[in-house]
Amino acid sequence: MNQDKAVMALAALAQDTRLSVFRLLIKAGPDGMIAGALADAMAVPPSTMSHHLAKLEQAGLVLSWRTSRLIHYAADYAGVQALLTFLMADCCQGDPRACADLLSAIVCDRVGVGACS
Amino acid sequence: MNQDKAVMALAALAQDTRLSVFRLLIKAGPDGMIAGALADAMAVPPSTMSHHLAKLEQAGLVLSWRTSRLIHYAADYAGVQALLTFLMADCCQGDPRACADLLSAIVCDRVGVGACS
DNA sequence: ATGATATTTTCATGTTTATGGAAATATGCG
DNA sequence: CGCATATTTCCATAAACATGAAAATATCAT
C-alpha cells in the first residue's frame, strides 16, 4: 500500500452506491455476490453497476471471478487490511495514548478476536 | 455513524493533500499541529489548506481549537474509530472466517495492544 | 449457427470538486 | 487606535466524476 493506492481505495468507497456495495460484500463473505444481483440490490442499471464494480476492483477492495455467464464479486479482505493499516500507520508515533483504545474498540465490536478487556 | 457521514469521511480522505494531512495528524498525536505549519508542510497556500482542513473537520476526522492567533488541528480518534467500525460492521455476518484475521493483523502492527498470536 | 442471457465498454452529458488570488475576519502588540 | 500576523471566506476556473443509453463481448442452450 502507498499513498496513491490509498487515495484510489478511499475514492472508491467515497460514493453512496459503491459504499453500499462494499458493505454488502463485507457482509456476504468470501463467496460474494453476482454482478446482476448487486445491480438489483442497489436499483441501478447494469452499466452503472459495472462502472462502480470496476472502480472498486481497480482500487483493490473487491475481486471478481467468472463462472459461466455469471460474474462473482467479493470483498478483498487483504486489500481492506492494507488500507486500514496504512491509515493508522505510526499512530501517535508508537505511543498508544489514543491508538490502542481506538483499535481494540474496533476489534471488540466483533466476536471471537480476544483483545478485549 | 451512518452511511452519509461515512461517505463524507471517506471523501475527505480521498484526496492526496488531505490524506497526507490526516496521516501527519495521526502521527502527531493529540496535541496536533498549527494550520500554518500544515500549509508549510504540504507546500500549499493557506487558503487551499483552509479548504482542506474544513472538509476534514466537517467529516469528523479532525478537530480544531484556537489559542490566540493560532488554530490547532488534531486527529479526532473517536471519529476515525466510528468510521472504521462502520466499514467493518457485520463482517461475514459474525462468522470470523476472514474478519478476525484481518482486524487482529491491523492491531498487531501496533505495539502494546495484546491481541496477537 | 441462432437466439437468449449476463456483463462490460463506449460515449455524451450534467454535476461536483480542487485550486488559489483577493478580500474579509480575528487576534495581539505597541 | 493602527499595524502586523494567522486564518478563513468569497469567487472564478479547470479538472475529475457519476450516470445511463446504446453497442459490443462472452457464454450457454437448442
Side-chain angles (χ1 to χ4, degrees):
Chain A
M1 180 58 56
N2 58 242
Q3 174 90 4
D4 287 352
K5 290 176 77 177
V7 168
M8 279 184 65
L10 292 161
L13 294 174
Q15 200 277 340
D16 192 61
T17 303
R18 286 195 301 264
L19 181 56
S20 294
V21 166
F22 174 78
R23 300 213 305 139
L24 196 50
L25 292 177
I26 286 286
K27 276 191 201 166
D31 294 341
M33 291 176 65
I34 304 301
L38 290 167
D40 290 348
M42 298 298 140
V44 297
S47 77
T48 299
M49 181 54 65
S50 182
H51 291 307
H52 287 316
L53 291 170
K55 188 149 190 169
L56 284 167
E57 183 162 32
Q58 228 195 322
L61 294 167
V62 308
L63 32 82
S64 69
W65 64 95
R66 177 187 285 269
T67 65
S68 88
R69 272 178 298 190
L70 306 177
I71 302 195
H72 300 250
Y73 283 88
D76 182 340
Y77 294 97
V80 178
Q81 176 181 322
L83 174 62
L84 300 189
T85 302
F86 180 81
L87 282 181
M88 302 313 292
D90 303 316
C91 183
C92 299
Q93 300 159 108
D95 166 12
R97 279 188 284 182
C99 305
D101 289 352
L102 187 163
L103 290 161
S104 62
I106 296 165
V107 171
C108 292
D109 282 346
R110 347 255 107 252
V111 290
V113 176
C116 312
S117 58
Chain B
M1 179 60 55
N2 57 244
Q3 175 88 5
D4 288 352
K5 289 176 80 177
V7 169
M8 280 183 65
L10 291 161
L13 294 174
Q15 201 276 340
D16 193 61
T17 303
R18 286 195 300 265
L19 180 56
S20 294
V21 166
F22 174 78
R23 299 213 307 138
L24 195 51
L25 291 177
I26 286 285
K27 276 191 202 167
D31 294 341
M33 291 176 65
I34 303 301
L38 290 166
D40 291 347
M42 298 297 140
V44 296
S47 78
T48 300
M49 181 54 66
S50 181
H51 291 307
H52 287 317
L53 291 170
K55 189 149 189 168
L56 284 166
E57 183 162 31
Q58 229 197 322
L61 294 167
V62 308
L63 33 81
S64 69
W65 64 95
R66 178 187 284 271
T67 65
S68 86
R69 271 179 298 189
L70 306 177
I71 302 194
H72 300 250
Y73 283 89
D76 182 341
Y77 294 97
V80 178
Q81 176 181 322
L83 175 62
L84 301 190
T85 301
F86 181 80
L87 282 181
M88 303 311 292
D90 303 316
C91 183
C92 299
Q93 300 160 107
D95 166 13
R97 277 188 283 183
C99 305
D101 287 352
L102 188 163
L103 290 161
S104 62
I106 296 166
V107 171
C108 292
D109 283 346
R110 344 258 108 250
V111 292
V113 175
C116 313
S117 59

